[in-house]
Amino acid sequence: KTACVTALQLLLLPMPRVDADLKLDFKDVLFRPKRSSLKSRSEVDLQRTFTFRNSKHTYNGIPIIAANMDTTGTFEMAQVLSKHTLFTAIHKHYSVEDWKNFAASHPECLEHLAASSGSSNADFEKLCSIVEAVPALKYICLDVANGYSEYFVEFVKSVRGKFPQHTIMAGNVVTGEMVEELILSGADIIKVGIGPGSVCTTRIKTGVGYPQLSAVIECADSAHGLKGHIISDGGCSCPGDVAKAFGAGADFVMMGGMLAGHDQCTGELIEKNGKKYKLFYGMSSDTAMKKYVGGVAEYRASEGRTVEVPYRGDVENTIRDVLGGLRSTCTYVGAAKLKELSRRTTFIRVTQQSSHMFT
Ligand code: 5GP
């Protein structure tokens, strides 16, 4: 009898579960080409129009976003990106005064800008001052490393309560149920991505994460079911990855590393052995922590890397490269508009993306 009870108890113990469905990253797939009537990539229209679920605001532009990292989410970046109708999530470390000056001298950029905030009281107070100081600003980006906390959900609700007409981006999460919860709490656009970033060490430090292509496919489905939108945030290392994120259903794609190392990024040029570099680092790296909060708090591990990126000059050239690649993807699958790309997408599972012969 005792043996029986012990066996029963063992059966009732919650067991770790393994979801055995295959989850994929950008590197695991390629687009299957499709017959197309498009003659040239110049015919492809990359502009998108969205009306957001909660703010009711209508957006027009090429839905690529510079990440709200202090190196890439800069006002200098916004000046170049907005000329191409690309978007910049401005990092949260600019002062209200900086915002006022920028808004006064570059009002044409404001349509494609978001002000970022974490969920602390100090962050929120600063966000309120920025929104008050820059009435033309329409987007707010609420960014925390872990979008799964109840506290964050409540925070999103209170920001929505205070700013009923602003379009709210919120994240980061990687699963459909949390996308739904954040949209129902008032967010319009959900940032998707835990661990894919070029300078992110979350997967190594915590073992938590989700392959980005699958996260995007699953989260897009949940968001679109509620008329919400998503941003694929992190993990794009080449223009083809940006196209794959759109093909997987992302409405917007956010890039950090791909925009690093340019004139428009914060930081001095570093010269070493005749070569030029710029510093790029995760927002929870030692470098960022030292810069803004005087060091990494004892209870947490740094979850970001610091790297020296080869200097790449004006970001204008990189933008052309990304947009050119994306237009070309569209012609290969017969999408006359970026809007049609995900409907025209069939991914094939691959074991190698490209030849390594000369790399
Ligand atoms: P990338 O385009 O460089 O692959 O990814 C950019 C994204 O990485 C950012 O938008 C942000 O979500 C994420 N990220 C930036 N800094 C850090 C960090 O220090 N730690 C982690 N875990 N993610 C980061």
Side-chain angles (χ1 to χ4, degrees):
K1 191 180 164 198
T2 322
C4 265
V5 170
T6 317
L8 200 65
Q9 275 171 342
L10 270 177
L11 274 176
L12 292 175
L13 272 180
M15 298 280 282
R17 271 176 25 87
V18 176
D19 179 351
D21 280 357
L22 183 65
K23 304 293 177 192
L24 302 169
D25 260 311
F26 298 134
K27 67 167 183 17
D28 301 318
V29 301
L30 288 168
F31 286 93
R32 162 188 256 154
K34 291 194 173 132
R35 205 171 56 220
S36 149
S37 57
L38 288 164
K39 278 201 216 82
S40 142
R41 68 185 72 177
S42 64
E43 290 172 28
V44 174
D45 176 10
L46 297 180
Q47 297 278 328
R48 299 241 26 204
T49 300
F50 301 122
T51 297
F52 299 116
R53 180 189 196 270
N54 294 316
S55 69
K56 313 289 182 220
H57 171 68
T58 298
Y59 158 94
N60 271 303
I62 299 178
I64 292 178
I65 310 178
N68 51 314
M69 300 168 75
D70 71 345
T71 41
T72 58
T74 63
F75 286 135
E76 292 79 4
M77 185 68 77
Q79 282 177 57
V80 181
L81 263 54
S82 72
K83 275 196 281 176
H84 298 267
T85 73
L86 268 59
F87 202 95
T88 307
I90 299 291
H91 68 71
K92 67 176 188 179
H93 299 289
Y94 282 113
S95 68
V96 180
E97 211 48 44
D98 294 334
W99 268 98
K100 274 190 196 152
N101 292 338
F102 183 76
S105 51
H106 297 283
E108 74 288 355
C109 294
L110 296 175
E111 183 65 36
H112 293 106
L113 282 197
S116 306
S117 169
S119 58
S120 73
N121 288 341
D123 278 351
F124 184 53
E125 274 168 30
K126 186 165 165 194
L127 176 72
C128 293
S129 313
I130 293 168
V131 172
E132 200 178 307
V134 187
L137 183 71
K138 300 193 178 96
Y139 296 86
I140 292 170
C141 177
L142 303 178
D143 184 19
V144 294
N146 174 7
Y148 283 78
S149 83
E150 259 174 45
Y151 178 78
F152 184 62
V153 173
E154 291 309 312
F155 179 64
V156 170
K157 284 183 194 163
S158 65
V159 177
R160 170 51 71 210
K162 179 137 178 113
F163 303 115
Q165 284 164 5
H166 283 72
T167 298
I168 299 178
M169 307 167 164
N172 281 23
V173 299
V174 283
T175 50
E177 87 284 358
M178 210 58 205
V179 167
E180 286 165 6
E181 178 148 4
L182 290 174
I183 290 174
L184 295 172
S185 301
D188 296 289
I189 315 172
I190 308 304
K191 263 163 108 239
V192 173
I194 293 188
S198 57
V199 281
C200 164
T201 54
T202 295
R203 292 179 184 175
I204 293 154
K205 290 283 167 74
T206 69
V208 178
Y210 211 100
Q212 186 68 0
L213 184 92
S214 293
V216 169
I217 293 173
E218 294 167 29
C219 292
D221 189 47
S222 299
H224 297 161
L226 288 172
K227 300 206 176 335
H229 294 88
I230 67 156
I231 302 169
S232 172
D233 176 18
C236 289
S237 59
C238 55
D241 290 347
V242 177
K244 288 174 189 176
F246 283 122
D251 304 292
F252 294 85
V253 177
M254 184 175 262
M255 313 188 296
M258 281 182 67
L259 295 176
H262 294 97
D263 292 331
Q264 289 76 7
C265 300
T266 315
E268 300 301 310
L269 265 184
I270 305 161
E271 295 227 28
K272 264 191 198 169
N273 307 324
K275 291 196 179 122
K276 292 178 180 158
Y277 301 88
K278 281 193 109 168
L279 216 57
F280 180 57
Y281 44 84
M283 291 314 292
S284 53
S285 63
D286 289 2
T287 311
M289 294 289 182
K290 278 193 196 115
K291 192 164 171 187
Y292 297 111
V293 289
V296 182
E298 231 170 79
Y299 64 88
R300 61 185 292 175
S302 138
E303 286 177 26
R305 243 190 287 274
T306 301
V307 291
E308 285 171 356
V309 183
Y311 169 60
R312 296 161 72 194
D314 195 332
V315 75
E316 189 89 37
N317 303 323
T318 302
I319 295 169
R320 280 181 210 290
D321 194 40
V322 173
L323 300 186
L326 194 50
R327 285 195 190 93
S328 191
T329 310
C330 288
T331 58
Y332 272 111
V333 301
K337 298 175 173 169
L338 180 58
K339 184 179 181 187
E340 293 165 13
L341 180 58
S342 69
R343 271 182 267 144
R344 306 273 310 176
T345 294
T346 304
F347 286 124
I348 46 173
R349 176 90 169 86
V350 297
T351 52
Q352 184 177 326
Q353 275 210 69
S354 60
S355 169
H356 297 303
M357 187 163 166
F358 296 114
T359 54

